[in-house]
Amino acid sequence: MEFKYIIYKKENDGVAIIILNRPDALNAFNKEVINEVLIALEDAEEDENVRVVVLTGAGEKAFSAGADIKAMKEMTPLKARELSLMGNKLCGAIEDFGKPVIAAINGYALGGGLEVAMACDLRLASEKARMGQTEINIGLIPGWGGTQRLTRLIGKTRTKELVFTGKMIDAKTAEQWGLINMVLPSDGFMEHVKKFAAELAKKAPVALRIAKSLIDKGADVDLEVALALEREGFAVVASTEDLQEGVTAFMERRKPEFKGR
Ligand code: CO8
């Protein structure tokens, strides 16, 4: 598969890596970048050897500095709506993806860059990372779910602080606010991320897929419905060969080998 704006590679430990590859524009998203990420995700979904996807940015400086600002000059409302839909499509595809997606935030994650990272299941950030919903600084608001996903992750108080002021926060603060899972050393950052991802890739795939779906979909319905969904999901996971493997491995005091069945 030939890509121009991303690098897509599969490691041999169940981890696929998608690298946003426009370092000269701090990996800003345009239509082509989004389309290529969508194609890579489709491939990773179908490949049963891929168990976890890592999304990161090329170069030392940025995960992504957001939507391409240069494409916004004299943007019509209809064009803006189209851009917003494109970002929503990408974020939706990440959330609906049947395997864990990790955002490896290696530098700036701003505007749409942070919004895409927020659609990922887990966020690991380098100690040099800086994050913000900086749209207000160019007279805009978040348009790829930032006002909504950020609120769900860190609450209204901090969301308003970030969206109203357009300031950037460092990785330590983001961790304290619950925006990211953990801060990792910037030296050898991707090696640390890959190690984490490879461990996750050893977990039972069906259990991961159903847990992801229940956590995401359950958060927006009432508790009674969410618990009913969980019961049904629990029953499906209980029917897998992987559960039998997990229980047998426990009794035999060995590490389980899950097959995703
Ligand atoms: N889009 C396009 N190009 C960008 C972007 C961007 N978002 N960010 C940086 N670049 C380019 C710069 O123009 C520059 O290119 P060139 O050398 O050709 O001029 C190159 O990347 C390097 O950037 P800087 O020289 O600015 O690097 P600095 O180290 O001085 O600064 C910053 C780094 C602080 C990250 C700075 O580049 C910056 O503030 N960037 C903008 C960040 C931002 O505001 N992002 C939000 C964009 S809006 C958005 O994402 C909305 C999403 C929803 C859209 C919905 C549809 C309407």
Side-chain angles (χ1 to χ4, degrees), residues 155-176:
K156 277 189 194 179
T157 307
R158 293 298 192 190
T159 297
K160 286 181 180 169
E161 186 177 335
L162 286 177
V163 173
F164 290 4
T165 66
K167 73 178 184 183
M168 295 182 209
I169 54 171
D170 61 20
K172 194 82 214 139
T173 308
E175 187 184 34
Q176 280 161 3

Side-chain angles (χ1 to χ4, degrees), residues 24-26 28 61 65-70 83 110 112 134-135 143-144:
D24 292 347
L26 302 187
K61 262 180 102 171
D68 196 317
I69 298 177
K70 290 167 188 169
L83 280 173
L110 305 174
T134 49
E135 290 91 340
W144 291 354

Side-chain angles (χ1 to χ4, degrees), residues 101-126:
V101 182
I102 298 171
I105 306 175
N106 52 314
Y108 291 113
L110 305 174
L114 182 57
E115 289 171 303
V116 171
M118 284 192 288
C120 296
D121 300 299
L122 300 167
R123 281 161 292 285
L124 310 183
S126 137

